[in-house]
Amino acid sequence: MDLVLNELSMDALAPSREEARNRVRTFLETLRSAFKYGVPRQLRTKEAFKDSLLAEKYSWWTWMNDPDVGKEEKQYLKALATRAPFLDGLPDAQEFADDCELFFDHHKAEGLKVAYLVDGLSVSLLSSSLWKSPSLPATLRELQENGSILERKVNIRHASLACHVENEHSHWIVSNLKESVANGAELLERFPTCFPSLALCDAVHEHMRNLPVHIVPTFFRGLRCLEEYCQSWKSGGFNLADLGCRSTSEGQTAKVKYGIERTYLCPDGIKRTFTYHVKLGNPWRIYYDPAPGPGKMYIGFVGRHPRNKHDK
């Protein structure tokens, strides 16, 4: 699980050094609250994070050398592992980060986008009333494989106060960490319990067992996204725009030329050509079909992207 800095919260400078110190103190209290529940002690940030200003002529570096800041607070920040740029060490997330943009309050928000894509928790300096909420409504614009733009509303998990973590996110954090799986075989074993709304086609079992260990958490997040959608899908048809993760439908060329490679025997005994897929970063995909819905889906394939028009 990742904590991701909302860089927009750094834009409004504090009117005084005293207020800057108060903001950092509140920020560190928020981080401590998350770490208490087992979140790794690191923060994803923009580049040159500590060079950023907190107040006029008062940067994070200045704060760390400020005699009016307690030694314990300074040591706590120095011990915090920072990862910059935001997607450092996450090459599998780079593909879909490049293909989408996220806007909050009409501003492009890189940190909030990354928090959404990696299913993490965005954290902010309490520099504005905008950041007083434990959930931030945003607009995600995604480039689809057919060249069109899909725009949808999403909510970003967020904290700028320790109480946001305690009251709103602690259960999610604990559940998220408990649900982590070591490998594909364990994911398959726990599948019925973790994803009761999703039914696996026979071919998926072997593919899931053989998933590389490093990518299994990413597949878990993608499957959980489908499960959460199914649990809220009570009536009506499937709506791709309401899905809480990056997903698209196969382009016409792939449907016609490579449809047979996307055709799987479903648990009801019917063969279906799967066109919907969750994009987990190049080259990983989850192919699903909402045919048994509302509230249910078939999973036809997990693994590397099947052949398409880009393959020779």
Side-chain angles (χ1 to χ4, degrees):
M1 177 181 295
D2 292 278
L3 296 182
V4 186
L5 175 69
N6 168 26
E7 81 284 359
L8 297 181
S9 70
M10 307 269 291
D11 290 347
L13 299 184
S16 66
R17 293 193 173 196
E18 180 181 3
E19 173 60 21
R21 288 190 286 267
N22 289 336
R23 289 182 182 181
V24 176
R25 185 176 300 112
T26 300
F27 182 71
L28 293 181
E29 289 172 353
T30 304
L31 297 185
R32 282 193 187 96
S33 184
F35 298 150
K36 180 177 68 175
Y37 289 99
V39 175
R41 297 172 69 87
Q42 69 174 24
L43 176 68
R44 294 194 172 275
T45 73
K46 63 179 184 177
E47 294 185 275
F49 158 63
K50 291 179 181 177
D51 291 326
S52 302
L53 292 176
L54 292 161
E56 187 176 354
K57 298 181 180 180
Y58 189 77
S59 68
W60 287 88
W61 287 114
T62 311
W63 177 89
M64 287 191 287
N65 292 285
D66 188 341
D68 291 326
V69 175
K71 181 179 178 180
E72 182 182 349
E73 288 182 303
K74 294 178 183 178
Q75 291 177 335
Y76 196 84
L77 183 64
K78 289 178 181 178
L80 177 65
T82 55
R83 302 293 297 268
F86 285 114
L87 289 170
D88 177 46
L90 295 173
D92 293 313
Q94 188 64 58
E95 177 204 9
F96 46 77
D98 291 341
D99 288 346
C100 68
E101 293 180 329
L102 188 139
F103 294 85
F104 174 81
D105 195 37
H106 307 294
H107 296 283
K108 187 182 293 187
E110 286 299 312
L112 297 182
K113 179 178 76 172
V114 171
Y116 173 76
L117 293 177
V118 303
D119 196 23
L121 178 64
S122 61
V123 289
S124 298
L125 281 173
L126 191 53
S127 58
S128 162
S129 59
L130 287 172
W131 317 126
K132 288 185 176 181
S133 172
S135 178
L136 301 178
T139 300
L140 186 71
R141 297 174 185 166
E142 301 177 78
L143 177 65
Q144 301 295 287
E145 292 180 359
N146 62 7
S148 64
I149 301 295
L150 176 65
E151 180 173 301
R152 55 194 174 92
K153 302 300 181 182
V154 297
N155 287 306
I156 314 300
R157 293 186 182 90
H158 172 259
S160 61
L161 294 164
C163 65
H164 290 160
V165 177
E166 299 288 344
N167 299 335
E168 304 292 335
H169 304 306
S170 57
H171 178 73
W172 167 74
I173 290 172
V174 172
S175 297
N176 193 311
L177 293 172
K178 282 183 177 179
E179 289 175 351
S180 61
V181 291
N183 51 50
E186 185 179 345
L187 176 58
L188 182 61
E189 180 182 353
R190 297 178 60 184
F191 195 93
T193 301
C194 294
F195 311 110
S197 304
L198 310 179
L200 295 178
C201 296
D202 287 345
V204 179
H205 292 73
E206 192 62 25
H207 295 146
M208 191 171 289
R209 288 191 191 95
N210 293 323
L211 287 174
V213 171
H214 78 279
I215 201 66
V216 169
T218 302
F219 272 88
F220 194 100
R221 289 196 297 268
L223 291 165
R224 185 171 59 199
C225 168
L226 296 175
E227 175 66 29
E228 290 175 352
Y229 176 85
C230 284
Q231 290 185 13
S232 64
W233 180 21
K234 304 299 183 183
S235 61
F238 172 67
N239 188 342
L240 180 63
D242 289 341
L243 199 65
C245 52
R246 291 210 66 221
S247 180
T248 187
S249 181
E250 206 74 83
Q252 190 61 31
T253 300
K255 291 178 183 178
V256 174
K257 190 173 182 180
Y258 303 111
I260 190 65
E261 298 178 27
R262 293 153 171 79
T263 300
Y264 312 108
L265 180 63
C266 295
D268 62 358
I270 298 174
K271 285 188 175 181
R272 292 181 173 85
T273 298
F274 284 55
T275 59
Y276 289 113
H277 55 278
V278 177
K279 302 171 72 174
L280 302 173
N282 194 35
W284 308 106
R285 300 291 188 268
I286 299 171
Y287 276 76
Y288 65 94
D289 194 301
K296 296 286 184 181
M297 287 183 182
Y298 292 139
I299 305 299
F301 174 81
V302 298
R304 295 179 178 274
H305 198 311
R307 284 197 307 160
N308 58 27
K309 64 181 179 181
H310 301 295
D311 297 314
K312 296 182 180 180

